[in-house]
Every structure is written in C-alpha cells, then in structure tokens.
Amino acid sequence: MGRGAKGWISDRMRRLRLIGVKGKIQMIRNSVLMLISLALAGAGMAHATDVVNRDAKPYKLKVQSEGKLSISFYTIKANTTIYGLCGASFCSFTIPGSKVEAKKEERITIRGGKFVK
C-alpha cells in the first residue's frame, strides 16, 4: 500500500524545504539582477555633461547639441549643479556673456559670470 503517514509527511517536508531554498535562491538572483540594472543605469548617467554654478546668482542656460539637432533652455539656480545636460558627443553651452563647448564626459563650471572647464 505504500508508506505510512510519517513517511508521507517527511517526504512532503523535504519537498517544502527544497522549494523554500529554491525560492530564496530566486529572491537572491532577482536582487542581484536589480542591483546590476541600477548600476548600469547610473553608469549611463555618468557620461553626460554636468554644469556647476558657483555664483550667487541664477543664470538662463542654453544647451545646443552637436549639429544643432537639439536646443534646450534651463535655469540654473545659484550655487547648484545640473547633472546630465548633454549626452551627445559634444554640446555648446551659453549664458549671457559666455559660451563654451564641452564633451559629454566633461564638467563645466560657471564662476564670475563665465564658463570654466
């Protein structure tokens, strides 16, 4: 006829423990994949031009991508940084009285009303 109740219960418990381990392994795998995707997303943002305003006044900022494909306007507040403004290979940045070109990995600074690389 088969096993008694004790044999059936112990087999069932072994299977449940095994499923529990597989579930834990799946949770760990999902967590690792999530961390990797977040790291890759952050790495993509690291390759865009940042603009730092060291002045005590805000500026109107014009960002023009290579080949004039895109023109955007921003307001950069006093003593702040705007991250990831240009992901193209190079862009030109303009504030009243100053203009600079920068590659996508560069960081440019506004100091004394002028751009400084």
Side-chain angles (χ1 to χ4, degrees), residues 7-19:
W8 179 83
I9 290 174
S10 63
D11 286 344
R12 179 89 173 145
M13 291 302 287
R14 263 189 247 121
R15 276 192 232 124
L16 285 176
R17 276 192 226 124
L18 186 61
I19 290 170

Side-chain angles (χ1 to χ4, degrees), residues 58-75:
Y59 289 96
K60 297 284 185 189
L61 178 66
K62 177 182 173 184
V63 181
Q64 187 170 333
S65 69
E66 59 185 318
K68 299 181 183 181
L69 295 175
S70 166
I71 298 174
S72 303
F73 295 91
Y74 300 91
T75 299

Side-chain angles (χ1 to χ4, degrees), residues 27 68 79:
M27 280 180 29
K68 299 181 183 181
N79 298 309

Side-chain angles (χ1 to χ4, degrees), residues 23-116:
K24 289 176 185 175
I25 290 171
Q26 186 63 36
M27 280 180 29
I28 291 169
R29 184 180 301 142
N30 289 344
S31 298
V32 169
L33 290 174
M34 175 85 73
L35 289 172
I36 290 171
S37 64
L38 288 173
L40 291 175
M45 288 301 291
H47 296 291
T49 310
D50 302 333
V51 178
V52 181
N53 184 3
R54 296 284 182 216
D55 287 351
K57 68 178 209 169
Y59 289 96
K60 297 284 185 189
L61 178 66
K62 177 182 173 184
V63 181
Q64 187 170 333
S65 69
E66 59 185 318
K68 299 181 183 181
L69 295 175
S70 166
I71 298 174
S72 303
F73 295 91
Y74 300 91
T75 299
I76 184 166
K77 296 178 182 177
N79 298 309
T80 60
T81 302
I82 299 179
Y83 297 97
L85 282 182
C86 178
S89 58
F90 72 91
C91 289
S92 64
F93 297 83
T94 308
I95 59 172
S98 185
K99 182 176 181 176
V100 69
E101 289 189 357
K103 294 179 183 175
K104 67 180 177 180
E105 349 26 71
E106 291 183 313
R107 175 177 266 208
I108 56 176
T109 304
I110 302 170
R111 189 176 292 131
K114 304 285 182 198
F115 282 114
V116 180

